[in-house]
Amino acid sequence: MLPASIALLRHARLADGALVDVVIEGATVADIVPAGTAPLPSDANTVVDLDGFLLMTAAAEPHAHLDKTRSWDAIRPPMGDLELAIESWRAYAATMTVEDVAERARTQALAMLAKGTTAIRTHVDILLGDEPLRGVHALLQVRDELADLIDIEIVALPGPDIASAAVEAALDAGVDVVGGAPHLAPEPLDDLRRLLEIAERRGLPVDLHTDESLDGAVTLGEYARIVASWSQNTSAGHCVRLGTLPATERDGLVSAVVAAGIGVIANPITNLYLQGWGDDVATPRGLTAVRALVDAKARFAAGADNVRDPFNPLGRSDPFETAMLLVTAGHLTVDEAWAAVSDGAREVLALPTAGVTVGAAAELLAVRGQSLPEVVAEASAERLVIHRGRLVARTTVSTEVAVPTAHLTPTGAR
């Protein structure tokens, strides 16, 4: 019966190959000792044997859209670029109810939890019309419902045609972070300054969709200049334009981002899908400057972004999918890629340090496998997920494969 309290994880393998026992007290990793040496607790039900599993920091999702998720089948939008996706989404959003959004968001959040994600930052559209906060109210409801199982943080996402009063109303209702997409505005820098003024006045974190195009507006430099002296957490999602700039200009902008402390959140699957539809030869990858950011030691994370909505018809709700794309399309190492969806994501979200470290938060993921490259490649569904020191999800797998005829004896015996 889940959730279940955990006091001891036995025989776990770490990414460096070590075999350990992990002692958990409450929501914290209390001790790590060689496998088989930790004293057994009095309650055997609080012991989990992880023989055959790799144990790592649980994933954190730094950029989701729980209000949009799983709407593809209802919308059946045209395949296409960002503008087409926005148009089809807005048409559908005019008809959706709070209950519709909440049901889809709840289903998606629990699917992500089962795959190993114990913290989600989700954007929510401030809508046009007489009820602009329908998505907000739905996600606030889901956040409260799932509070014991998964940490959910909500970002207000107004378009440039959404009044500041509606943004303020969303924040008053309980939204945590100021967001937006200034690069889509007729005057991108004016919209950027509008949103940052709201955040500065209210002392709130900021997470902006930033320069999500292969060409066009570059707002990241002005963003970095304005927030360079701020104390609150700031981040920028997508930053596709950064990946298309000449190297000298790119490197100068990366340096400004690092100096300002802005966390950059890459979203490989959505940007690979949305960008480059007009380029039928040598289609660009549509990613931010992943390698340059990592090499410059920027605060860097990666998210799954959209799942089965007009902005991405696919998506598996699985952090290993994001990590795999960072390796294949972003040319990160496997270690760097997994860090971006776990420890790096938690750092960008300003969450407490977690993982298999004494004193860290017991936010842990165990996956069937022997090494990090194996589990990223195979993405075994067989997983155990621990949130605040409790087992909150477990997936077991049973597989049957026929024995090849060539391996049978003449009598049919093996």
Side-chain angles (χ1 to χ4, degrees):
M1 184 72 176
L2 301 182
S5 296
I6 301 297
L8 177 62
L9 302 172
R10 302 188 72 202
H11 304 125
R13 185 177 295 277
L14 305 184
D16 64 4
L19 291 172
V20 299
D21 293 344
V22 179
V23 179
I24 296 176
E25 294 181 358
T28 304
V29 175
D31 201 6
I32 303 168
V33 297
T37 65
L40 292 175
S42 57
D43 185 354
N45 292 322
T46 64
V47 179
V48 176
D49 194 322
L50 292 182
D51 184 32
F53 285 79
L54 192 74
L55 183 65
M56 61 196 81
T57 308
E61 175 52 65
H63 190 114
H65 288 270
L66 293 182
D67 57 332
K68 297 181 173 75
T69 188
R70 298 172 181 260
S71 61
W72 174 275
D73 290 338
I75 299 173
R76 288 293 174 180
M79 302 286 283
D81 60 13
L82 181 61
E83 288 73 20
L84 283 173
I86 292 172
E87 289 175 12
S88 60
W89 165 251
R90 281 195 156 187
Y92 176 74
T95 69
M96 70 188 185
T97 65
V98 171
E99 291 74 20
D100 165 48
V101 177
E103 182 178 358
R104 290 185 288 101
R106 185 186 305 109
T107 299
Q108 177 62 19
L110 291 174
M112 295 168 73
L113 179 64
K115 297 292 180 67
T117 298
T118 63
I120 299 172
R121 173 182 281 180
T122 177
H123 299 259
V124 59
D125 279 27
I126 311 300
L127 303 170
L128 296 169
D130 296 334
E131 298 178 281
L133 302 189
R134 280 172 289 138
V136 168
H137 292 313
L139 294 199
L140 290 171
Q141 174 186 326
V142 172
R143 182 181 69 182
D144 292 345
E145 288 176 1
L146 303 184
D148 289 340
L149 301 178
I150 188 167
D151 296 323
I152 297 178
E153 185 179 48
I154 304 174
V155 185
L157 178 57
D161 52 354
I162 298 297
S164 296
V167 182
E168 301 271 10
L171 300 172
D172 290 342
V175 167
D176 307 290
V177 182
V178 176
H183 61 283
L184 297 176
E187 298 295 336
L189 296 183
D190 288 347
D191 198 48
L192 172 73
R193 296 181 188 113
R194 169 182 79 118
L195 296 168
L196 292 180
E197 186 278 327
I198 294 172
E200 184 176 30
R201 174 165 42 80
R202 299 183 71 128
L204 290 176
V206 180
D207 186 356
L208 298 176
H209 286 58
T210 303
D211 306 344
E212 192 181 355
S213 63
L214 295 167
D215 50 27
V218 179
T219 65
L220 187 56
E222 180 68 359
Y223 184 9
R225 185 192 68 78
I226 292 172
V227 304
S229 61
W230 285 20
S231 58
Q232 59 259 51
N233 192 29
T234 58
S235 50
H238 299 292
C239 300
V240 174
R241 188 74 172 91
L242 182 64
T244 70
L245 295 174
T248 300
E249 187 178 354
R250 176 204 66 200
D251 292 346
L253 199 48
V254 168
S255 295
V257 166
V258 172
I262 297 173
V264 176
I265 302 168
N267 298 293
I269 189 169
T270 296
N271 287 140
L272 288 167
Y273 169 68
L274 287 176
Q275 303 298 325
W277 281 76
D279 298 271
D280 58 356
V281 176
T283 304
R285 287 179 173 173
L287 293 179
T288 190
V290 171
R291 173 48 61 193
L293 288 161
V294 171
D295 287 348
K297 301 190 184 312
R299 300 171 65 226
F300 179 72
D305 200 359
N306 301 86
V307 177
R308 292 173 52 199
D309 67 25
F311 300 80
N312 172 27
L314 305 177
R316 299 175 187 167
S317 312
D318 193 338
F320 290 116
E321 180 178 47
T322 302
M324 177 272 293
L325 289 169
L326 288 176
V327 176
T328 56
H331 290 175
L332 295 188
T333 68
V334 176
D335 287 342
E336 290 169 336
W338 181 253
V341 301
S342 57
D343 297 312
R346 292 186 66 86
E347 198 277 329
V348 167
L349 298 181
L351 294 170
T353 299
V356 194
T357 302
V358 174
E363 304 288 327
L364 302 169
L365 169 62
V367 183
R368 176 71 68 182
Q370 298 297 310
S371 69
L372 187 60
E374 178 189 340
V375 298
V376 173
E378 300 286 345
S380 170
E382 196 161 0
R383 308 180 191 187
L384 297 93
V385 185
I386 295 170
H387 174 54
R388 298 180 191 167
R390 300 186 306 161
L391 183 64
V392 292
R394 179 195 289 118
T395 302
T396 58
V397 176
S398 176
T399 303
E400 294 184 54
V401 179
V403 176
T405 304
H407 290 182
L408 298 176
T409 67
T411 62
R414 292 188 62 183

